[in-house]
C-alpha cells in the first residue's frame, strides 16, 4: 500500500522531477530504510518503516517506463521494457530466495541486512552508470492541470480497462507467490524451507516471458498478443490443483511465464495509449498494480486459511477470467 500511495502522489508530481535523480534517490533511500529495519524491535514501527519504504521506492516505478519510452527508439522499446521488467522479476526472485534461505538458517534480520547492503551497492552503481535524460525537461507542475490530465486517462476506455486488469492479475500473481510456500510445506508435499526457496527460481521463467512478449510486441500489436497470454495464466493455475509435485511446478512455470508476458504487454499498451503525461499514465498503472497486490494479496490469504487451497485457486481463476474479459474489451476499443 505504501507503493500505491507513493505512486498516487508521483502521478501528480513526477513530470516536475528529473528522472535519474528521482530513481536514484528512491533506490538509495529504500536501501537505507531496509538496513534500519534490522535494528527495529517494535512490530508496528517495522510496519510503518516498510510503508514509508514502499512509498519512497515508488519513485523508481513511477518514471522508469516513461524514461525508457522517451530515451529508447520505438523499434527497440518492446525489448527495453522487457529487460526492465526482467530486472523486476530477477529482483523478486533473488529477494524471495535469499530471504527464505538466510531467515531459515539464521534469522530475518540477517536476511534484511543482506538485502539492504546489496541494494545500496546496486543503487550506487545505478547512479553512476545510468545516462541522464536527453528528451525530458522537468517542468513546473500545475496540480489542477494534472487532475485534468488524469481525468483524460480515465475517460480513455482502453487505459481504464488495462488498469483494472492489472489490479486483478497482479493480485492473483502475488497471492500465488505469497502463499505457495505454506501450501508446499504442508502435506502432501511437506517440503523443507530450502527446497521451497528453490521453487522461486521459477521467476527466471518470468524473465523469459517478458523477453518473449517484449520482442513479439515489436512485430505484433500487444493488444492482440495479450489475449493469448492471459488464458495461459488460467491453465497454469489449474495445473496447480494437482497434488503431484512435477505437475505443480509445471503449472507454476506456465503461470509465471504468462503473467510476466501479460504484464509486459499491458505496460506497453499504457505507454503507447498515453500521448501526453506518460509518467502520470504509467504511475497510475503501477498504482492499480500494487493496490491489487496489497488488497487481493491479503484477501486471498483469508480465503486460503478459511477454505483451503482448491477454493483459493478457483478464486484466483475468477480474477483471471475477469482480467481477460477486461483486456478483450479493451482490444475492441
Amino acid at each position: 500500500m505504501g507503493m500505491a500511495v507513493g505512486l498516487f502522489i508521483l502521478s501528480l508530481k513526477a513530470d516536475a522531477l528529473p528522472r535519474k535523480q528521482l530513481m536514484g534517490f528512491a533506490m538509495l533511500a529504500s536501501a537505507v530504510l531496509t538496513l534500519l529495519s534490522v535494528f527495529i524491535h517494535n512490530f508496528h514501527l517495522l510496519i510503518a518503516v516498510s510503508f514509508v519504504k514502499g512509498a519512497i521506492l515508488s519513485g523508481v516505478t513511477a518514471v522508469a517506463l516513461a524514461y525508457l519510452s522517451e530515451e529508447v527508439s520505438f523499434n527497440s522499446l518492446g525489448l527495453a521494457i522487457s529487460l526492465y521488467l526482467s530486472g523486476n522479476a530477477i529482483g523478486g526472485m533473488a529477494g524471495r530466495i535469499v530471504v527464505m534461505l538466510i531467515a531459515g538458517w539464521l534469522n530475518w534480520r540477517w536476511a534484511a541486512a543482506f538485502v539492504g547492503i546489496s541494494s545500496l551497492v546496486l543503487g550506487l552503481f545505478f547512479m553512476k552508470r545510468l545516462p541522464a535524460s536527453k528528451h525530458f525537461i522537468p517542468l513546473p507542475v500545475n496540480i489542477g492541470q494534472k487532475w485534468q490530465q488524469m481525468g483524460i486517462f480515465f475517460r480513455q476506455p482502453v487505459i481504464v480497462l488495462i488498469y483494472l486488469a492489472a489490479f486483478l492479475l497482479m493480485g492473483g500473481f502475488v497471492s500465488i507467490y505469497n502463499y505457495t510456500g505454506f501450501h508446499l510445506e504442508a502435506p502432501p508435499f511437506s517440503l523443507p524451507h530450502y527446497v521451497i526457496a528453490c521453487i522461486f527460481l521459477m521467476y527466471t521463467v518470468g524473465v523469459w516471458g517478458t523477453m518473449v512478449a517484449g520482442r513479439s510486441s515489436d512485430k505484433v500489436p500487444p493488444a492482440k498478443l495479450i489475449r493469448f497470454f492471459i488464458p495461459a495464466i488460467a491453465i497454469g493455475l489449474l495445473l496447480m490443483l494437482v497434488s503431484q509435485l512435477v505437475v505443480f511446478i509445471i503449472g507454476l512455470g506456465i503461470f509465471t511465464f504468462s503473467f510476466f508476458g501479460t504484464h509486459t504487454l499491458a505496460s506497453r499498451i499504457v505507454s503507447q495509449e498515453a500521448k501526453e503525461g506518460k509518467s502520470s499514465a504509467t504511475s497510475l498503472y503501477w498504482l492499480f498494480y500494487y493496490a491489487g497486490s496489497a488488497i487481493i494479496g491479503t484477501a486471498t490469504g483469508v480465503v486460503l486459511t478459511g477454505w483451503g487451497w482448491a477454493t483459493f485457486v478457483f478464486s484466483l481463476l475468477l480474477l483471471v477470467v475477469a482480467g481477460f474479459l477486461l483486456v478483450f474489451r479493451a482490444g475492441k476499443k
Side-chain angles (χ1 to χ4, degrees), residues 163-230:
Y163 285 168
L164 294 174
F167 176 88
L168 296 174
L169 296 175
M170 176 56 174
F173 175 79
V174 165
S175 295
I176 283 292
Y177 276 97
N178 277 352
Y179 304 117
T180 291
F182 297 103
H183 181 56
L184 292 177
E185 72 180 4
F189 299 108
S190 303
L191 298 178
H193 83 277
Y194 52 85
V195 174
I196 295 173
C198 295
I199 296 295
F200 295 113
L201 288 169
M202 199 61 71
Y203 268 62
T204 57
V205 178
V207 174
W208 183 36
T210 65
M211 299 300 292
V212 170
R215 288 182 178 274
S216 300
S217 68
D218 286 330
K219 301 174 183 178
V220 180
K224 291 184 177 180
L225 279 175
I226 199 169
R227 297 180 191 178
F228 296 95
F229 277 85
I230 297 179

Side-chain angles (χ1 to χ4, degrees), residues 2-78:
M3 290 286 289
V5 170
L7 285 164
F8 176 75
I9 295 169
L10 287 170
S11 68
L12 299 172
K13 299 293 292 182
D15 286 326
L17 303 170
R19 306 290 201 214
K20 178 178 178 178
Q21 285 81 348
L22 175 60
M23 290 189 284
F25 169 79
M27 294 176 71
L28 296 174
S30 63
V32 170
L33 287 174
T34 301
L35 289 171
L36 287 176
S37 69
V38 174
F39 305 100
I40 295 174
H41 293 270
N42 179 281
F43 178 73
H44 296 95
L45 180 58
L46 184 65
I47 294 297
V49 169
S50 296
F51 181 90
V52 173
K53 179 170 65 175
I56 291 174
L57 195 56
S58 67
V60 177
T61 307
V63 300
L65 288 176
Y67 173 92
L68 291 175
S69 65
E70 291 160 353
E71 305 300 324
V72 177
S73 68
F74 182 81
N75 291 336
S76 301
L77 183 59

Side-chain angles (χ1 to χ4, degrees), residues 89-126:
I90 292 169
M93 174 189 72
R96 288 180 181 272
I97 292 174
V98 169
V99 166
M100 183 172 284
L101 290 175
I102 296 178
W105 288 323
L106 299 171
N107 59 54
W108 73 265
R109 296 183 189 278
W110 284 101
F114 179 87
V115 171
I117 292 170
S118 58
S119 297
L120 189 63
V121 171
L122 290 170
L124 292 170
F125 178 79
F126 175 90

Side-chain angles (χ1 to χ4, degrees), residues 96 162-179 233 237 255 259 263 285-301 312-313 315-320 323:
R96 288 180 181 272
I162 294 297
Y163 285 168
L164 294 174
F167 176 88
L168 296 174
L169 296 175
M170 176 56 174
F173 175 79
V174 165
S175 295
I176 283 292
Y177 276 97
N178 277 352
Y179 304 117
I233 296 176
L237 278 172
F255 173 85
F259 170 78
H263 176 38
Y285 170 80
W286 288 103
L287 188 158
F288 278 84
Y289 184 87
Y290 283 107
S293 167
I295 296 169
I296 296 175
T298 301
T300 52
F312 167 79
V313 170
S315 69
L316 298 184
L317 277 170
L318 290 176
L319 298 179
V320 172

